[in-house]
Amino acid sequence: MNVRNGRVVLRSFPAGGPRGSWPAEEFAHARRLEGEAAEVVMDLGSDAFLVVVRGPEGVE
């Protein structure tokens, strides 16, 4: 499980792609339709858009 700052990373998308954050937004939207509270955040360190959900309580 890839956890960052108490969030589980579902998938990572390169920020330099020709469509920008759209692939990440589309993936997050599909997860929300499945009932997950997915959101897109920018990870400046890896220059990527991350689709994340809040991790279980106590996970760091």
Side-chain angles (χ1 to χ4, degrees):
M1 179 183 327
N2 188 359
V3 179
R4 296 184 189 183
N5 296 329
R7 296 177 183 172
V8 177
V9 178
L10 300 178
R11 190 157 173 201
S12 174
F13 295 85
R19 296 181 57 216
S21 67
W22 287 10
E25 295 291 352
E26 290 170 346
F27 184 82
H29 177 70
R31 300 297 72 77
R32 288 191 294 272
L33 290 176
E34 294 173 352
E36 291 191 77
E39 59 184 313
V40 177
V41 297
M42 177 67 183
D43 179 17
L44 297 176
S46 67
D47 194 31
F49 294 105
L50 306 177
V51 178
V52 300
V53 293
R54 298 236 181 256
E57 293 297 319
V59 173
E60 288 296 324

